[in-house]
């Protein structure tokens, strides 16, 4: 099944100069990059991205982490990967959520850590289901930023400028 998945290289991955290594590992999947950009993560975007975890005790730290507050740089690299079984392939390569439990050959197993205050610094985000992938991709990207449109789009007129938006 052709799928798309949202991948984020999180602030610890950027701080540790892991972008090249992570992209090399991702290229093992033979999936295609359908979109990529550097994003300054607002609190609103962080809250929406992690909305399902809002009742967890670690939610506030998670927001700080993804906004780069623990790594002195307010940015992440956001990408959409496209291809056969993209979600499962990237999740497998990323490894388990808890970096101490992740397979040591996975990205999180290789590069992640749990800080003494309990933050899971696991270097990468990868969508975990088709439903999550669609929600996350639409949250992080505009249709025109993505090469392949697997979700329907519509044309809208804003301030007399025509552009695509999610239907
Ligand atoms: P995943 O990122 O593998 O999809 P998730 O969606 O359950 O995992 O959680 C999102 C992020 O929240 C995860 O990457 C790290 C953090 N997190 C999850 N469980 C945690 C915990 N028990 N303690 C601290 N951080 C946690
Ligand atoms: Mg998740």
């Amino acid at each position: 099944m052709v799928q798309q998945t949202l991948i984020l290289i999180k602030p610890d991955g950027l701080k540790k100069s892991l972008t090249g290594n992570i992209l090399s590992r991702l290229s093992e999947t033979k999936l295609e990059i359908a979109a990529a950009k550097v994003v300054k993560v607002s609190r609103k975007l962080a809250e929406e991205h992690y909305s399902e975890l809002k009742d967890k005790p670690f939610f506030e730290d998670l927001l700080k982490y993804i906004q780069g507050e623990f790594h002195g740089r307010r940015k992440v690299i956001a990408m959409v990967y496209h291809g056969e079984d993209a979600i499962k392939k990237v999740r497998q390569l990323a490894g388990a959520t808890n970096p101490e439990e992740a397979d040591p050959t996975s990205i999180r197993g290789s590069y992640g850590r749990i800080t003494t205050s309990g933050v899971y610094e696991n270097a990468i985000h990868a969508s975990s289901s088709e439903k999550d992938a669609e929600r996350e991709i639409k949250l992080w990207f505009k249709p025109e930023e993505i090469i392949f449109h697997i979700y329907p789009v519509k044309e809208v007129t804003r301030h007399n400028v025509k552009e695509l938006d999610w239907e």
Side-chain angles (χ1 to χ4, degrees):
M1 193 181 348
V2 171
Q3 298 174 325
Q4 288 184 345
T5 186
L6 179 81
I7 299 176
L8 304 176
I9 301 179
K10 296 181 179 180
D12 54 320
L14 293 175
K15 176 90 175 186
K16 294 175 179 172
S17 300
L18 293 172
T19 304
N21 305 46
I22 291 173
L23 292 179
S24 296
R25 295 301 309 276
L26 288 168
S27 69
E28 291 167 20
T29 62
K30 305 280 188 261
L31 297 167
E32 276 190 69
I33 301 178
K37 62 182 177 181
V38 181
V39 182
K40 185 172 177 178
V41 181
S42 65
R43 177 163 176 114
K44 183 165 174 282
L45 177 58
E47 278 175 350
E48 285 179 25
H49 178 73
Y50 285 126
S51 58
E52 281 165 12
L53 300 172
K54 65 176 188 304
D55 297 326
K56 300 283 184 196
F58 54 83
F59 185 62
E60 277 302 319
D61 272 350
L62 190 56
L63 298 185
K64 284 188 190 152
Y65 166 42
I66 199 69
Q67 289 184 90
E69 289 185 26
F70 297 139
H71 296 91
R73 47 189 71 196
R74 292 180 77 84
K75 66 180 175 202
V76 302
I77 294 179
M79 300 177 291
V80 176
Y81 273 59
H82 172 103
E84 195 64 28
D85 290 329
I87 293 167
K88 193 179 76 191
K89 283 179 183 160
V90 178
R91 284 293 289 193
Q92 222 150 39
L93 196 64
T97 304
N98 179 335
E100 304 297 338
E101 287 173 1
D103 181 315
T105 65
S106 67
I107 294 171
R108 288 168 165 179
S110 304
Y111 303 126
R113 66 167 187 163
I114 302 180
T115 67
T116 48
S117 40
V119 178
Y120 287 14
E121 292 186 354
N122 54 14
I124 186 174
H125 168 83
S127 306
S128 57
S129 66
E130 284 197 355
K131 189 167 148 279
D132 281 354
E134 179 171 354
R135 186 184 72 80
E136 293 170 1
I137 289 168
K138 289 178 175 180
L139 176 65
W140 287 79
F141 286 91
K142 294 182 198 149
E144 282 169 342
E145 295 173 321
I146 305 177
I147 295 294
F148 313 105
H149 288 160
I150 69 167
Y151 311 122
V153 293
K154 65 181 178 193
E155 206 170 58
V156 294
T157 306
R158 279 195 197 107
H159 313 298
N160 293 324
V161 179
K162 271 195 180 163
E163 57 181 46
L164 298 180
D165 201 351
W166 301 119
E167 211 160 53

